[in-house]
């Protein structure tokens, strides 16, 4: 039995709505891996998908397409802000990418549909059957293009690097906004009575070129973000090598001074033995005092701050820096052998935390500046606590602590790198600033492998 137009519309409406839910769920699952969660219960994700899907569907049905674009972007931003921790710029990127991918895919499908059935774009959009069919195909094309881009152009690692590179992210967002404005203007051409074939071709080419240019921009910005990340890693490796050299030189001075003392010690012990045999106790007592003074004057003191060689080198370097700045420094950090930290991860975590602590102490005047590092271990967790004095002033944006330095591109990434590294290992970072007491404390909680 043939299906008439009304029955077809009744069939296509719920199908298009279901595919819109799939589209929202797909984007949510894709970006979920890049953002720390505020709400992890599955009902929160269902509610976010339901709200964004409802706003999208109602907007498409009731509002002018010029306003729909920006309403949907806002709904995506709100739902992601409710679910995840991130910056407004990152959520704006998610919203514009979501909208551009769907809008450009819809333009391609409508244009091809119009060419195939020899109709104008206006006629395609005015017929409900065509409208819902093209929407369904647009959702499928948008998901397919995203999958191909992820597999061939921008891997998940490069996408994460782009997401946390502020300048490159701005560039992509500006491009997406300009493309959305351009496509909405081109879309208005269907009301101007332009030549059907010419306008359809223009609309199709504009959407295709927009997608291709987005792929090119993704490739370029992700490479720049990757190089930027590589530069950060290179700097950290250079700092690691420098600290290891300082640590080695400090230990060498200690061993050389101790070797010289050991040479004199043998002679002094022979003299001490002769004095005791001759019962010259007063001279023996004076010689013992001289030995004690010589040891303290000539033997370099080599303090140990950690059981890990690399971490001890980092802490040794921090102690030397603090001594030069007049900052009281104390540290005892024990890392269990079973903890799964690579050398680079140790450098990324502790150099950023200690550098931030030293910078905070530099802003405090007076003799009470300090940095204190302690650790605690249980069977499952290792906790490193870093406390330092600070001037009580913090620059916050939502739940994020921002850098007050001018070169935020480098300095603002310190705490983000720490959080990203530790949370990637399954750990937690807890900040506890006390502005009244002028004490800033950060707890690094790391899982201990059994």
């Amino acid at each position: 039995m043939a299906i008439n137009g009304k029955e077809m519309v009744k069939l296509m409406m719920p199908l298009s709505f279901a595919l819109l839910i799939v589209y929202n769920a797909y984007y949510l699952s894709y970006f979920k891996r890049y953002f720390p969660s505020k709400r992890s219960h599955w009902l929160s994700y269902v509610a976010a998908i339901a709200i964004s899907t409802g706003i999208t569907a109602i907007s498409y049905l009731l509002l002018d397409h010029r306003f729909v674009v920006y309403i949907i972007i806002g709904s995506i931003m709100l739902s992601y802000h409710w679910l995840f921790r991130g910056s407004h710029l990152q959520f704006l990127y998610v919203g514009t990418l979501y909208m551009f991918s769907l809008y450009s895919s819809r333009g391609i499908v409508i244009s091809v549909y119009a060419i195939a059935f020899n109709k104008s774009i206006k006629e395609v959009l005015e017929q409900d059957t065509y409208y819902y069919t093209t929407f369904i195909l647009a959702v499928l094309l948008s998901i397919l293009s995203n999958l191909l881009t992820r597999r061939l152009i921008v891997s998940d690692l490069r996408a994460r690097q782009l997401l946390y590179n502020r300048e490159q992210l701005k560039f992509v967002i500006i491009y997406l906004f300009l493309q959305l404005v351009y496509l909405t203007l081109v879309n208005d051409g269907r009301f101007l009575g332009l030549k059907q074939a010419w306008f359809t071709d223009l609309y199709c080419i504009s959407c295709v070129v927009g997608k291709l240019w987005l792929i090119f921009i993704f490739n370029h910005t992700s490479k720049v973000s990757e190089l930027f990340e590589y530069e950060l890693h290179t700097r950290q490796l250079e700092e690691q090598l420098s600290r290891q050299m300082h640590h080695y030189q400090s230990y060498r001075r200690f061993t050389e001074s101790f070797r010289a003392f050991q040479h004199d010690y043998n002679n002094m012990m022979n003299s001490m033995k002769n004095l005791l045999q001759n019962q010259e106790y007063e001279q023996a007592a004076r010689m013992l005092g001289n030995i004690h003074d010589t040891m303290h004057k000539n033997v370099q003191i080599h303090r140990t701050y950690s059981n890990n060689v690399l971490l001890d080198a980092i802490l040794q370097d921090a102690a030397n820096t603090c001594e030069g700045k007049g900052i009281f420094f104390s540290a005892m950090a024990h890392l269990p052998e079973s903890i799964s930290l690579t050398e680079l991860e140790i450098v990324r975590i502790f150099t950023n935390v200690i550098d931030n602590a030293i910078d905070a102490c530099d802003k405090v005047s007076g003799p009470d500046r300090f940095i204190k590092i302690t650790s605690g271990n249980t069977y499952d967790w290792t906790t490193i606590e870093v406390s330092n004095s600070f001037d009580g002033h913090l620059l916050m944006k939502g739940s994020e602590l921002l850098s007050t330095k001018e070169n935020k591109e480098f300095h603002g990434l310190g705490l983000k790198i720490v959080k990203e590294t530790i949370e990637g290992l399954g750990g937690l970072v807890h900040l506890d600033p006390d502005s009244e007491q002028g004490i800033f404390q950060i707890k690094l909680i790391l899982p201990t492998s059994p």
Side-chain angles (χ1 to χ4, degrees):
M1 185 175 65
I3 301 177
N4 59 37
K6 290 184 178 180
E7 291 176 343
M8 179 67 72
V9 171
K10 290 181 180 180
L11 179 65
M12 300 300 283
M13 279 185 66
L15 181 59
S16 61
F17 189 77
L19 274 175
L20 181 60
I21 294 174
V22 171
Y23 182 68
N24 287 330
Y26 168 76
Y27 259 80
L28 186 61
S29 65
Y30 172 67
F31 283 105
K32 180 178 180 291
R33 71 192 71 187
Y34 300 135
F35 294 109
S37 296
K38 284 183 182 176
R39 295 167 177 84
S40 56
H41 198 278
W42 65 272
L43 285 175
S44 301
Y45 296 103
V46 171
I49 292 172
I51 292 171
S52 58
T53 303
I55 292 174
T56 302
I58 293 171
S59 300
Y60 262 117
L61 291 173
L62 301 179
L63 299 177
D64 188 279
H65 73 97
R66 302 176 189 87
F67 304 108
V68 169
V69 169
Y70 307 103
I71 291 173
I72 293 174
I73 290 174
S75 69
I76 295 297
M77 289 180 65
L78 286 174
S79 61
Y80 276 66
H81 186 272
W82 186 64
L83 288 174
F84 306 116
R85 292 185 177 89
S87 67
H88 296 302
L89 190 69
Q90 290 172 331
F91 295 140
L92 181 59
Y93 164 73
V94 174
T96 51
L97 181 62
Y98 171 98
M99 191 65 247
F100 174 77
S101 180
L102 185 61
Y103 199 79
S104 58
S105 296
R106 181 171 173 267
I108 293 171
V109 172
I110 290 172
S111 303
V112 173
Y113 216 80
I115 294 170
F117 289 92
N118 195 26
K119 294 181 177 294
S120 68
I121 290 177
K122 185 179 179 181
E123 289 175 331
V124 172
L125 293 175
E126 286 177 348
Q127 293 188 26
D128 290 339
T129 304
Y130 292 160
Y131 184 90
Y132 291 115
T133 302
T134 55
F135 183 81
I136 291 169
L137 294 175
V139 171
L140 296 175
L141 177 60
S142 182
I143 294 175
L144 178 62
S145 62
N146 181 270
L147 288 171
L148 290 175
T149 302
R150 287 174 59 188
R151 180 172 292 274
L152 302 176
I153 306 298
V154 183
S155 65
D156 289 348
L157 175 60
R158 294 173 70 182
R160 177 187 291 274
Q161 292 168 345
L162 171 61
L163 191 64
Y164 285 92
N165 189 311
R166 188 178 181 84
E167 294 303 316
Q168 297 304 313
L169 203 61
K170 285 181 182 178
F171 180 71
V172 176
I173 291 171
I174 290 172
Y175 170 79
L176 291 171
F177 258 112
L178 291 176
Q179 276 294 319
L180 284 171
V181 171
Y182 171 71
L183 291 180
T184 52
L185 291 175
V186 172
N187 195 17
D188 284 345
R190 69 182 189 269
F191 302 114
L192 301 178
L194 299 174
K195 188 176 180 181
Q196 175 183 322
W198 179 86
F199 175 70
T200 303
D201 293 341
L202 173 66
Y203 195 27
C204 183
I205 291 171
S206 298
C207 293
V208 171
V209 171
K211 277 190 176 294
L212 293 176
W213 266 105
L214 179 62
I215 291 173
F216 172 79
I217 287 173
F218 270 147
N219 185 52
H220 173 73
T221 54
S222 61
K223 281 184 178 179
V224 172
S225 302
E226 192 173 29
L227 290 173
F228 180 78
E229 188 77 10
Y230 176 77
E231 183 178 355
L232 287 178
H233 286 186
T234 303
R235 287 189 176 193
Q236 290 166 347
L237 288 172
E238 289 174 352
E239 291 174 0
Q240 174 188 348
L241 179 60
S242 176
R243 286 184 171 93
Q244 287 177 321
M245 287 299 298
H246 285 138
H247 187 258
Y248 167 74
Q249 290 166 0
S250 173
Y251 190 76
R252 188 184 64 181
R253 288 193 297 269
F254 165 73
T255 53
E256 287 176 353
S257 61
F258 186 79
R259 190 178 297 127
F261 171 78
Q262 188 179 32
H263 179 268
D264 295 336
Y265 178 80
N266 293 328
N267 296 329
M268 288 185 286
M269 284 298 101
N270 290 329
S271 300
M272 176 69 68
K273 185 186 295 184
N274 292 331
L275 290 173
L276 291 174
Q277 288 176 349
N278 297 328
Q279 298 182 352
E280 297 179 9
Y281 300 117
E282 291 184 3
Q283 291 184 14
R286 286 195 296 272
M287 180 165 284
L288 280 175
N290 291 333
I291 293 173
H292 181 269
D293 294 339
T294 301
M295 184 181 70
H296 277 273
K297 289 178 182 179
N298 297 337
V299 179
Q300 297 285 334
I301 297 174
H302 183 79
R303 295 188 178 92
T304 301
Y305 297 102
S306 174
N307 64 321
N308 182 279
V309 175
L310 177 56
L311 179 55
D312 192 54
I314 294 171
L315 296 176
Q316 289 275 355
D317 185 63
N320 295 334
T321 302
C322 288
E323 184 179 0
K325 292 176 176 286
I327 301 170
F328 174 77
F329 181 86
S330 67
M332 182 50 67
H334 180 82
L335 292 180
E337 293 182 0
S338 57
I339 200 166
S340 56
L341 277 175
T342 64
E343 288 189 348
L344 183 57
E345 287 168 342
I346 290 174
V347 172
R348 298 188 83 189
I349 292 170
F350 289 99
T351 54
N352 280 300
V353 170
I354 292 171
D355 287 347
N356 287 343
I358 292 174
D359 290 339
C361 288
D362 281 338
K363 298 176 183 177
V364 179
S365 58
D368 298 329
R369 302 182 300 167
F370 74 92
I371 296 174
K372 183 179 180 181
I373 302 173
T374 59
S375 67
N377 299 294
T378 64
Y379 180 75
D380 295 319
W381 299 96
T382 294
T383 302
I384 308 289
E385 294 185 8
V386 181
S387 302
N388 60 270
S389 51
F390 80 114
D391 60 5
H393 299 295
L394 293 173
L395 182 59
M396 303 292 294
K397 187 175 182 180
S399 60
E400 295 292 328
L401 182 64
L402 302 181
S403 172
T404 56
K405 296 182 178 180
E406 293 182 1
N407 190 6
K408 291 182 173 58
E409 190 66 24
F410 280 100
H411 297 294
L413 289 174
L415 188 56
K416 288 183 180 179
I417 289 173
V418 173
K419 293 182 69 175
E420 180 183 340
T421 304
I422 291 181
E423 289 173 356
L425 295 168
L428 297 169
V429 177
H430 177 68
L431 305 180
D432 186 18
D434 188 342
S435 297
E436 293 183 2
Q437 297 291 328
I439 299 175
F440 187 93
Q441 185 182 75
I442 180 171
K443 291 183 180 180
L444 312 176
I445 306 170
L446 293 158
T448 304
S449 302

